[in-house]
Structure formats: C-alpha cells, structure tokens
C-alpha cells in the first residue's frame, strides 16, 4: 500500500511540475511578443530616441 501511495504522490508532483513549466513557457512567449512589438511600434515619447522603454 505504501509503494502505491508513493508512486501516486510522485506522479502528482511531476504533473504539477510539468504544468508549471508549460505555464512558464506561455508567459515567456507572451513577453517575447510584447518585446518584439516594442521594436516594431517605436513611438517617440517626448521627442526621444523613439523607444518605448527607458534603458
């Protein structure tokens, strides 16, 4: 009985880890698209260099 519980617990942990990794990939993809859009849009703020960020 104990090995069955341990295996089920391991499956649950690995499933949760896989879901978290997939969610992080989705977040990374969204951030990449926003970053690339920043290069495409390039609206000048206050007559600056035409960048939407202030690095």
């Amino acid at each position: 009985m104990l090995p069955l519980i341990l295996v089920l617990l391991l499956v649950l942990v690995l499933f949760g880890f896989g879901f978290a990794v997939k969610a992080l990939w989705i977040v990374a993809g969204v951030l990449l698209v926003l970053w690339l859009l920043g290069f495409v849009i390039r609206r000048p703020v206050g007559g600056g260099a035409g960048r939407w960020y202030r690095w």
Side-chain angles (χ1 to χ4, degrees):
M1 184 69 178
L2 184 62
L4 179 63
I5 291 174
L6 288 176
V7 168
L8 289 176
L9 186 62
L10 180 66
V11 167
L12 185 65
V13 167
L14 291 177
F15 176 75
F17 180 72
F19 179 76
V21 169
K22 184 175 180 180
L24 286 176
W25 273 110
I26 292 172
V27 169
V30 168
L31 289 177
L32 177 67
V33 167
L34 289 175
W35 183 64
L36 291 174
L37 279 175
F39 282 110
V40 172
I41 294 173
R42 290 183 187 253
R43 58 180 181 176
V45 178
R51 303 232 190 269
W52 63 280
Y53 51 82
R54 298 184 187 184
W55 296 359

